[in-house]
Amino acid sequence: MIGTRMEAPLRQLFDFKIGAAVNPTTISSQEELIAYHFNSITAENEMKFASVHPEEELYTFEAADQLAEFARKHDMALRGHTLVWHNQTTEWLFQDNHGQPVSKALLLERLRSHIHTVVGRYKNDIYAWDVVNEVIEDTGAELLRSSKWLEIAGPEFISKAFEFAHEADPNALLFYNDYNESHPQKRDKIYTLVKSLLVQGVPIHGIGLQAHWNLFDPGLDDIRAAIEKYASLGLKLQLTELDMSVFRFDDRRTDLVEPTPGMLEQQAERYEAVFRMLQEYSDVITSVTFWGAADDYTWLDDFPVNRRKNWPMLFDEHHQPKAAYERIARLVRS
Ligand code: GLA
């Protein structure tokens, strides 16, 4: 698409892919911006369990198909997100006809069937899947988060998910994906889990660092340490859900109608420092996906403070480049 943009397309600046999370609304409202700057997309919600498989006998692929069609139209890569998660998964999966918990065998059989159907459908479109999302417990000594998956199937649901995905599409790159991935304690647990999968011979090819970051956290040293530790497993890394909230996570202020100049400057410095580092590791980092494209639409407008506007992206509410974009682009030219 020929637009009127003067700035350099982000997708041409780095060795890794540059992605955006999209949905059926934004592929239209942000089409020009996304087509110009990005060469990869991820479905924000439309490929999650509850979206594509609301009832045992019913698959609903309309929205996901639209996104796959958008990727084809613009010759973009498509990431699949996500096959196993404790959220946005329907209750029927874990229950029998009488509302009783299903057996481990039935749960794994349902998982196999789901994965074969979904991964099989997008075999020619999706090159990489977030197979398992967020199974690590954030704090304390437990490795795995408690969930219906763990309760019914024990830890084996994790390796099984990767095996089923690999059966369904042997060419797809398979990722473990999680947030707070740069916090040392969680980083070490993610490392432990993935290493144990590798030791068992499970087909896993990469780690997804969600990278829901803010102006203050995580520290650059922690990000670097996480990249190095994960890379030491010999896997590829992708940033899968990058955004840079202007608020500290526990900041509940609601008084702003626009970002302060100080915030935008700090955001520009942070993005510049982060991309400088990502570039250093471009032998292991193969893709950087933002969780959105521009500040007119971001899930952070509702999280963690309901209906509070946030401005986490490189492009503003009118899809124009922010200072953060300029700094990243300058980084490459210098
Ligand atoms: C997690 C999930 C994403 C998305 C975000 C919030 O990071 O992996 O799919 O739901 O939360 O939008």
Side-chain angles (χ1 to χ4, degrees), residues 181-182 187-188 190-191 195 207 209 213 219-239 276-285:
E181 72 302 310
S182 300
R187 172 199 73 207
D188 288 351
I190 294 172
Y191 175 89
K195 187 163 184 182
I207 297 180
L209 294 79
W213 296 338
L220 289 173
D221 291 348
D222 282 343
I223 298 173
R224 183 184 293 281
I227 292 174
E228 298 227 337
K229 183 143 193 172
Y230 298 144
S232 75
L233 290 167
L235 297 175
K236 293 300 180 199
L237 309 184
Q238 299 196 337
L239 270 61
R276 180 179 290 127
M277 189 185 305
L278 298 178
Q279 224 180 351
E280 266 184 63
Y281 291 97
S282 56
D283 53 334
V284 285
I285 296 176

Side-chain angles (χ1 to χ4, degrees), residues 42-45 48 81-82 85 87-88 130 133-134 177-179 210 212 240-241 243 291 299-300 303:
T42 303
E44 186 185 18
N45 289 301
K48 290 173 180 170
H81 176 81
T82 179
W85 195 22
N87 277 329
Q88 292 178 252
D130 292 327
N133 199 32
E134 305 182 350
N177 191 49
D178 214 328
Y179 66 93
Q210 288 191 4
H212 289 296
T240 52
E241 306 184 16
D243 43 30
W291 207 243
W299 74 293
L300 290 170
F303 182 85

Side-chain angles (χ1 to χ4, degrees), residues 2 6 79 88 95 160 172 176 197 220 223 309 333:
I2 312 287
M6 303 298 288
R79 297 191 82 259
Q88 292 178 252
Q95 292 174 1
K160 285 292 178 201
Y176 175 72
L197 295 175
L220 289 173
I223 298 173
K309 180 88 196 110
R333 285 196 297 270

Side-chain angles (χ1 to χ4, degrees), residues 214 245-249 251 253 256 263 308-310:
N214 63 54
S245 164
V246 299
F247 301 108
R248 223 181 261 284
F249 188 74
D251 184 346
R253 73 183 286 186
L256 293 178
M263 283 173 169
R308 175 185 66 182
K309 180 88 196 110
N310 207 320

